[in-house]
Amino acid sequence: MDAPQHASRSGGVVATLALAGTTAAIMQTLVTPLIAELPQILSTSPSNATWVITTTLLVAAVCVPVVGRLGDLIGKRRMLLACSVPLIAGSVVCALSSSVVPMIIGRGLQGMGMGMVPLGIALLRDVVPAQKLSSSIALVSASMGIGGGLGLPIAAAVAQYANWRVLFWGSAVLATAIAVLIWFLIPSVPAAAKGQRFDAPGALGLGAGLVCLLLAISKGADWGWGSGTTLGLFAAAVVLLIGWGAWELRTADPLVDLRTTARPRVLLTNVASIFVGFAMYAGMLVMPQLLQFPEATGYGLGQSILASGLWMAPGGVMMMIVSPLGGKLTNAYGPKVTLLGGALVIAAGYGLSLALMGSAWGIMLAIMVINSGVGLAYGSMPALIMSSVPLSETAAANSFNTLMRSLGTSVGAAVIGLVLSQMTTSIAGRSITSEGGFRTGLLIGCGIAVVSAAIAAVIPAVRNATPGPEKATSAPAPEKSAVEA
């Protein structure tokens, strides 16, 4: 490994990659304060305006595993720089847009740059000293949550007090700054899988399957879960993903090595990631609505969009505080214990939210606890993955894990959204989500967090040659010897 020669630069590397992850997350939440105004801003229908959000999700899902594999093949620094280009271009296109089509194109370009985070996490294994690796992984991995927590109130403030285009010009400046920092501070490391072939058929198959699956999940509520379009997309996703899996098992240099992914340690970590992603997003969907619902309902807290974002912001700060503690916990007891503890903390936060949902202070406290658990869990997942795969698959494996988290948030959004839309009450002739609907959403989040803890509990420990707690920095003996050979 090249960690010793880059040790003196590791602080700048970690800071740059954490800032890159935070910026990517801010871009994802950028349009949230504008959702209600998008139809008017873009002179389009509400259903067309939702594509501004959906497109980023779909493009990111397709591009993240491809970017991860290319990072292994041609170099992670090169791909980090490549990811910054569509982030900048997409931000500029959105800032200049006055209609829905260019806005969708710009948001799609922004989605192409979301592979920065798994690439950055994989790069840490190459350039950060072993004693700093766990805490560095935890910070960079948690940066997506930090950006989401801090980005929402910032975006709400800009949208409320300035022109909405300022949001996108600001993101263009941030993305440009990230590109400059990557150019000057990120070292070039030899590609671990150099010489292997890029699996273009695998990339197309996975992309097509994911588009069908995520499109059905994200638009099913609008189109109808029993509609021919939704069911057809689910059926196409099943066929395409099964065909993709068969191809990946046959090809010599797969996009995702399913044999590695099927190892119990990797497989269970990825399954737990889906549930943690679901659990995280349940609160992000329920609590802002509780804060913003009118007080006349008896359970809403009557906060503005900006005030709601400010009440949620300490959750992002907690992820920043907790992530280095998670790294120390991983060093002491292994990433499995950190993941298990994180999932249980998330569940405790939901329990707290059910008791304290009647006040803004209570919701703020609950989201701080939930996000603390998310910070622990998100920081441990890459450590579990990287301790179980060879160096030549680090970026691809991390990208696949990121994809599993995104799949969990998409399913969570669909399920919680369905619950909130079905459990309603009528006030002044208007149908709105009932208190029971919000409580059910929080209970589901709690239950899913408990399931993720149960999955984490059965993840097998890594077998080390020497006794002691499992280490996030070690690879299993067979893969390690193969790489070193």
Side-chain angles (χ1 to χ4, degrees), residues 4 11 26 57-58 81 86 94-95 106 117 149 180 204 236 240 275 278 313 327 330 360 365 370:
I26 288 173
L57 168 72
L58 295 177
L81 287 168
C94 288
V117 178
V180 172
L204 291 172
L240 286 166
F275 283 92
F278 185 126
T330 293
L365 182 60
I370 290 171

Side-chain angles (χ1 to χ4, degrees), residues 199 202 206 240-264 266-267 270 389 393 396-397 400 403-404:
D199 179 19
L206 179 60
L240 286 166
L241 292 175
I242 289 175
W244 170 76
W247 169 263
E248 294 298 279
L249 291 171
R250 289 175 52 199
T251 190
D253 298 320
L255 181 75
V256 178
D257 190 336
L258 294 182
R259 291 181 178 85
T260 299
T261 306
R263 292 173 184 164
V266 180
L267 176 63
N270 282 328
V389 302
E393 298 175 24
F400 193 74
L403 178 62
M404 293 299 101

Side-chain angles (χ1 to χ4, degrees), residues 70-76 188-195 391-392:
L70 287 173
D72 287 329
L73 292 173
I74 65 175
K76 302 178 186 76
S188 181
V189 178
K194 187 176 181 179
L391 283 170
S392 60

Side-chain angles (χ1 to χ4, degrees), residues 69-287:
R69 182 56 178 160
L70 287 173
D72 287 329
L73 292 173
I74 65 175
K76 302 178 186 76
R77 179 180 181 271
R78 185 178 297 179
M79 287 310 302
L80 282 167
L81 287 168
C83 283
S84 69
V85 174
L87 283 179
I88 298 169
S91 300
V92 173
V93 170
C94 288
L96 296 173
S97 296
S98 296
S99 61
V100 69
V101 173
M103 180 67 81
I104 290 172
I105 291 171
R107 291 289 291 166
L109 287 168
Q110 287 183 326
M112 291 177 66
M114 295 301 161
M116 271 192 171
V117 178
L119 273 174
I121 294 169
L123 181 66
L124 292 173
R125 189 180 187 183
D126 300 323
V127 301
V128 173
Q131 66 270 22
K132 296 183 179 179
L133 184 56
S134 294
S135 58
S136 300
I137 289 172
L139 178 60
V140 175
S141 184
S143 65
M144 286 293 285
I146 294 168
L150 299 179
L152 187 58
I154 293 171
V158 172
Q160 185 167 330
Y161 295 109
N163 189 289
W164 63 269
R165 297 180 192 274
V166 173
L167 290 172
F168 294 105
W169 287 122
S171 68
V173 171
L174 271 175
T176 303
I178 294 298
V180 172
L181 289 171
I182 291 171
W183 181 268
F184 286 105
L185 295 180
I186 302 299
S188 181
V189 178
K194 187 176 181 179
Q196 294 184 15
R197 179 180 60 87
F198 177 69
D199 179 19
L204 291 172
L206 179 60
L210 287 172
V211 166
C212 290
L213 177 62
L214 292 172
L215 200 54
I217 291 172
S218 60
K219 303 294 287 186
D222 295 333
W223 294 339
W225 293 106
S227 70
T229 301
T230 303
L231 294 177
L233 284 169
F234 276 126
V238 171
V239 172
L240 286 166
L241 292 175
I242 289 175
W244 170 76
W247 169 263
E248 294 298 279
L249 291 171
R250 289 175 52 199
T251 190
D253 298 320
L255 181 75
V256 178
D257 190 336
L258 294 182
R259 291 181 178 85
T260 299
T261 306
R263 292 173 184 164
R265 188 172 167 86
V266 180
L267 176 63
L268 290 171
T269 300
N270 282 328
V271 173
S273 299
I274 296 173
F275 283 92
V276 171
F278 185 126
M280 177 201 74
Y281 205 75
M284 296 296 291
L285 208 58
V286 170
M287 294 186 188

Side-chain angles (χ1 to χ4, degrees), residues 48 61 103 119 193 245 252 275 279 282 290 295 312 342 379 395 431 441 446 452 470:
N48 285 340
M103 180 67 81
L119 273 174
F275 283 92
L290 270 174
E295 292 180 326
M312 299 285 288
S431 181
C446 183
S452 64
E470 60 175 336

Side-chain angles (χ1 to χ4, degrees), residues 382-460:
L384 278 161
I385 294 294
M386 289 197 291
S387 67
S388 309
V389 302
L391 283 170
S392 60
E393 298 175 24
T394 302
N398 268 307
S399 295
F400 193 74
N401 180 252
T402 299
L403 178 62
M404 293 299 101
R405 297 191 218 175
S406 298
L407 181 61
T409 59
S410 299
V411 174
V415 172
I416 301 300
L418 181 63
V419 169
L420 298 184
S421 66
Q422 294 299 313
M423 299 184 68
T424 60
T425 186
S426 182
I427 295 182
R430 181 176 161 220
S431 181
I432 61 172
T433 303
S434 65
E435 182 178 3
F438 285 125
R439 287 191 176 275
T440 301
L442 294 173
L443 277 170
I444 291 172
C446 183
I448 291 294
V450 171
V451 171
S452 64
I455 296 169
V458 297
I459 294 175

